[in-house]
Structure formats: C-alpha cells, structure tokens
Amino acid sequence: AIAQALTVGRVRATDQATTDPVAVDLFLRARHEYHLIWHDANGRAIALFAEALKRAPNDAKILGGYALALARRYAYEFGADTAGPEAIAVAERTLALQPHSSAARTAIAVVKWNDCDLVGTASEISRALRDGPANGDAYDYYGRLMLECGRIEEATERLKMALAVEARMSQAKFELTRALALLGKWDEVWKRIGEPPTDSALKNAYWTVRMRMHGWQRDAEGALACKPLISEGTFETQSLVLAFMDVVGQQTTPDALTAVLTQFAHANGVARRRSFFMQLVVEIWASVDENEKALDALEASARGRLSDLAWLDHCPVIGSIRNEPRFKAVRESVAVRAEEALAILRVS
C-alpha cells in the first residue's frame, strides 16, 4: 500500500513549482524546521516560507507549506489563536491557484483537528489524500484521526505510511509510539523512544511523550532515573517534565502540578490543547488512585471537546475509573463523535 501510494503520488503530483533557486532553498529549509514540530522551530519555518513567498508569491507548493506551518502554530503556540484563521485564509488562496493542492486541504484539516472537529477533519483529510496520495502530512493526520476514533491498528499503518513518505516527520514518530503503547506493545515503544534528542526543539515533544509512557506504566524508578537526562541543556517544557517525573516517581504530591496544568487548560483558546492538558490531569490523579479527582478532570476535558476514544479505552493508567458511570457517560459522547467521523471516511 505504501509503495502504491508513493507511485500514484508521483504520477498525480500537480503543484506548480518555482524555478527560482533561492525560493526553492528557502522552501526546503522551511520544511526542515517544520518537521522539528515545536513552535520555536515552526516559527523559523513560517519566516522562511514568508521569505520564499516574497520571491514566488503565487507558488502553490510554497503557499501550501506556509498554510501548514500556520496551522501548526495554531496547534502548538500559546496566544496564537489567530493563526488558525490565517492558515485557512492562506489555504483557500492556495486552492484558488491550485484546486487540487493536497497541502492546502491538509492545512484546513489540521485547523479543524485542533478545534476537535472530527467530522470536518475527516472530510478535509480524505480530500487531501485523493489529491495527493504521497502527502506525508495527510497520512499523519489520517493516522491521528483513526487513532482517536479507536482504530489503533489502522492508525499505526497510516502513521507508518507518513514516515515512509517523509522519514523526518517527528510528529508522526511520536504519535506512532503512543499508538503502540495503547496496544500494549511496550518493547516496541521503548525501542522507538530510544535516546533523547540533542535538538532543543525535539526535546519538548520527546519528553512530553516519554513522561506519559513512564506515567502509564507507573514506572517510578524509570521516571526518577530520567531526571539527569532531562536536566541537560534547556528546553521550554523542562520544568513541567521534571515535575511530572517527580509525581510519577512519588517524590511529590500531584496538587501543584495538576493546578498548573488546569491553569494552562483554562488559559487556552484552542480546544485540543484544553482537552489535552486535562487528560494529563486525569492521568496524574488516576496514577495515585484519586479517582474522584480523575473523573472531575475527565469531565473538564470532555467540556473542552475531548475526542480521544483510544485513550479512553486503552490508556493503562486510567483503568481504575473505566467502570464509573461518569466515565461511561463521557465515553459514550466521544464514541458518537468518533463514529460520525468514521462514517465520513467510509464514504470518502
């Protein structure tokens, strides 16, 4: 399936490409920064795409990349709520120039994804893959969508396809790791996690994923053993990760950390970030068997448009609350939205 997608993608590629070597170089540098995920690297990507557009303002490929980077800013950067509408506007301009721009469709899907609009995401990502079967970003978000809709095995295949198209896609690598953890394939999880990256931009995503894996396994010893590695150099989420590892390692109570995460959630204008921070709070309280507090946080995550059915069904650390009526009510509402998205994918 991967080979077929790549072959068809080469045949159907329609994006107009500039012949300006400086613009091409700026585009390639921008894509490199984009794949480092975190908002500091993504900010550099946005600046490089903007420079490239000064030289080639109507190049659909550069515009599509710019739209994707703006959509990622919307996803990751605090206080960047206007980046979502900006990404949509750039994507729509791209589609006016190139109606089959897969990158532009994917950018729209990413904004809808971060609004926790699963149906809208499914519609746009299906169109993106029809228009660009070799679009790694589209496979990435298709995989993430399938994962949240509870189709974990299918999600892993799509995420692997994303990495076959573009091996640098750190976001897809980390999401694949999370999917494997939800399947209970821990040997493969730790093999994929490997050694910490040296790039500060990658450290943020790496340690956010890794801290959760230690938490999911209630791995107090492993969490504390990581602290010297986490303390090397500096990166934005360092203090949060260290605090999380202290809680998992049973060195501190969860009260201060959960208060900070709850504050982050309330200060966020983007639905996915709001629900994500409260998911972390659920995991923390469940890990210390404070089930009522975990359920309170779960309902807060649901009010923030929680959409992660796979996490609800398979995250090992929240198993103690799955039989609670409050949990079942949240799961039912999330499952309905997941099925609506899957229905779109089935007919697309």
Side-chain angles (χ1 to χ4, degrees), residues 230 235-246 257 264:
I230 299 166
F235 57 99
E236 185 180 354
T237 59
Q238 191 172 41
S239 60
L240 176 66
V241 172
L242 285 168
F244 197 100
M245 293 302 195
D246 275 339
L257 178 58
F264 283 168

Side-chain angles (χ1 to χ4, degrees), residues 98-179:
Q98 176 50 270
H100 298 290
S101 171
S102 181
R105 285 288 171 204
T106 305
I108 296 172
V110 173
V111 174
K112 291 182 179 295
W113 171 258
N114 283 286
D115 290 336
C116 293
D117 176 1
L118 297 189
V119 169
T121 303
S123 177
E124 294 296 341
I125 215 66
S126 297
R127 295 177 72 178
L129 282 171
R130 283 199 303 271
D131 290 336
N135 180 345
D137 291 294
Y139 278 120
D140 179 15
Y141 278 92
Y142 197 110
R144 290 159 71 91
L145 178 61
M146 294 298 286
L147 180 57
E148 292 217 347
C149 289
R151 303 299 179 88
I152 308 178
E153 294 282 5
E154 293 172 65
T156 61
E157 291 306 309
R158 297 290 179 165
L159 291 165
K160 288 176 182 177
M161 291 176 82
L163 291 167
V165 174
E166 176 50 79
R168 298 175 300 170
M169 296 188 71
S170 302
Q171 180 173 267
K173 291 178 185 177
F174 293 133
E175 195 68 4
L176 179 57
T177 300
R178 191 174 78 91

Side-chain angles (χ1 to χ4, degrees), residues 308-320:
D308 197 342
L309 185 62
W311 175 79
L312 287 168
D313 286 348
H314 298 284
C315 176
V317 79
I318 66 172
S320 62

